[in-house]
Amino acid sequence: MDLEDVNRLVRSDMVAVNIVIQEQLRSAVPTIPAMGTYIIGAGGKRLRPIVLLLSSRMGGEQGPRPIPLAAVVEFIHTATLLHDDVVDGSELRRSNATANQLWGNAAAVLVGDFLYARAFEMMVQDGDIRVMSTLAEATSVIAQGEVAQLENANDADLQPDAYYAVIEAKTAKLFEAAARLGAILNQADPEREALLARYGSLLGTAFQLVDDALDYSVSAEKMGKNRGDDLVDGKATLPFIHAMQEASEAERGALRDALKSGDRSGLERVLEIIARTRAIDYTLGVAADKAKQAQACLAGFPDGPERRALSFLADFSVRREF
């Protein structure tokens, strides 16, 4: 199985999801549909809604109910992107100008708020208290993760546990919620629900680890954002943390200075230290282990195209170069 096989498997569902997204972006305020359409249509992987669709179809759900919930998950994710780009002062995402660059910070924050609000309206329309509880908790945890990351900014001595706590909250939690919703829609037993939720969390963690490695190892043309943005934003991600642990005292001083200053002039030196300490290989190795753990969570589910697709996504999350 490859990514095209996965896309083919969910193609009709994703067409329906995109229709729901466009319908729910309608507003008498022109900036809302313009910005929403711009960022949602900018070529994202849509992994979170795909995980929801695959996990629900794997359990036997054949009806239309997963479609609007997949759109809800995408709205929540898009809202976090809008807010993140404002906080980070980002200029590029997916090789395009960020929404805050085109419409301004205030508009980006407010449209992000609209997407959260619209997502909650759609949850209420579904009417299942467990669906609402899962997505509400995920949204709360994501926000807390973002604040924790802000508190950790420019901390060159950040410990791995604190780093993992942030990525498990701000990235893995929505993957976890998407997979858990598949179990909820199928009224799966608690054990299977827990396994799917853990699959989602591990998948999301692996995905973020690879993102953090790619930030130091892939060109802007491939990654769709400027190389070294995490350093400039003061984020001590796992490649940086591992380099700090393995570096000489002089090298640690250079790493600290670069993270604190947020100046791209120190990036080349940081890249040299990261390469010498094999921090990228280390990070990718941790990501691969998380992906294998995610795949193990699927072992008790019946074999079929959806299960194979979910297993492939774990592989894809660590093998990708974008």
Side-chain angles (χ1 to χ4, degrees), residues 19-87:
I19 290 171
V20 171
I21 286 173
Q22 292 303 319
E23 289 174 347
Q24 294 297 326
L25 282 173
R26 289 176 185 166
S27 170
V29 181
T31 298
I32 291 173
M35 190 187 303
T37 299
Y38 176 79
I39 188 168
I40 288 173
K45 302 172 190 68
R46 300 283 180 91
L47 289 185
R48 295 154 188 84
I50 288 173
V51 165
L52 190 155
L53 293 168
L54 290 172
S55 60
S56 63
R57 301 309 188 200
M58 182 174 68
E61 170 61 60
Q62 298 300 318
R65 195 174 166 205
I67 302 301
L69 293 178
V72 166
V73 167
E74 188 66 11
F75 273 9
I76 292 172
H77 174 56
T78 302
T80 66
L81 297 185
L82 285 167
H83 289 169
D84 284 355
D85 285 343
V86 170
V87 171

Side-chain angles (χ1 to χ4, degrees), residues 176-258:
E176 176 191 311
R180 185 186 295 278
L181 287 175
I184 292 172
L185 293 183
N186 284 288
Q187 299 181 325
D189 61 62
E191 182 179 356
R192 288 200 167 191
E193 180 182 324
L195 283 168
L196 269 177
R198 179 159 172 74
Y199 162 84
S201 179
L202 289 163
L203 174 67
T205 300
F207 187 87
Q208 186 61 57
L209 284 163
V210 173
D211 251 17
D212 293 345
L214 292 176
D215 185 73
Y216 285 107
S217 59
V218 174
S219 66
E221 289 75 22
K222 278 190 176 181
M223 191 60 176
K225 65 175 187 175
N226 293 318
R227 191 180 191 188
D229 271 356
D230 287 342
L231 182 75
V232 173
D233 294 337
K235 297 175 185 175
T237 59
L238 193 59
F240 184 95
I241 291 169
H242 182 75
M244 280 290 291
Q245 292 174 334
E246 299 297 317
S248 67
E249 188 170 345
E251 288 172 331
R252 284 196 293 273
L255 291 171
R256 281 196 182 92
D257 289 345

Side-chain angles (χ1 to χ4, degrees), residues 3 34 70 125 153 219 253 281 311:
L3 193 57
Q125 289 169 4
S219 66
D281 289 343
S311 182

Side-chain angles (χ1 to χ4, degrees), residues 1 9 54 58 199 295 298-312:
M1 180 169 281
L9 188 60
L54 290 172
M58 182 174 68
Y199 162 84
Q295 289 172 323
L298 302 173
F301 291 87
D303 188 27
E306 290 83 8
R307 179 185 144 179
R308 290 194 292 272
L310 288 169
S311 182
F312 167 78

Side-chain angles (χ1 to χ4, degrees), residues 24-184:
Q24 294 297 326
L25 282 173
R26 289 176 185 166
S27 170
V29 181
T31 298
I32 291 173
M35 190 187 303
T37 299
Y38 176 79
I39 188 168
I40 288 173
K45 302 172 190 68
R46 300 283 180 91
L47 289 185
R48 295 154 188 84
I50 288 173
V51 165
L52 190 155
L53 293 168
L54 290 172
S55 60
S56 63
R57 301 309 188 200
M58 182 174 68
E61 170 61 60
Q62 298 300 318
R65 195 174 166 205
I67 302 301
L69 293 178
V72 166
V73 167
E74 188 66 11
F75 273 9
I76 292 172
H77 174 56
T78 302
T80 66
L81 297 185
L82 285 167
H83 289 169
D84 284 355
D85 285 343
V86 170
V87 171
D88 296 339
S90 300
E91 299 176 354
L92 279 178
R93 182 176 287 279
R94 300 166 184 160
S95 299
N96 297 310
T98 54
N100 49 295
Q101 284 289 305
L102 297 177
W103 282 274
N105 287 340
V109 169
L110 293 172
V111 172
D113 292 345
F114 168 85
L115 293 177
Y116 277 132
R118 184 50 55 87
F120 276 81
E121 286 181 333
M122 295 166 70
M123 289 180 222
V124 172
Q125 289 169 4
D126 178 81
D128 187 326
I129 189 64
R130 292 215 56 221
V131 167
M132 288 185 273
S133 175
T134 297
L135 288 167
E137 182 207 11
T139 305
S140 172
V141 169
I142 291 166
Q144 292 175 73
E146 295 292 354
V147 176
Q149 181 171 263
L150 191 62
E151 290 179 345
N152 294 339
N154 304 111
D155 182 1
D157 297 303
L158 190 72
Q159 295 303 299
D161 285 352
Y163 163 77
Y164 284 119
V166 167
I167 67 170
E168 286 167 8
K170 79 182 196 69
T171 301
K173 190 64 180 181
L174 193 55
F175 278 94
E176 176 191 311
R180 185 186 295 278
L181 287 175
I184 292 172

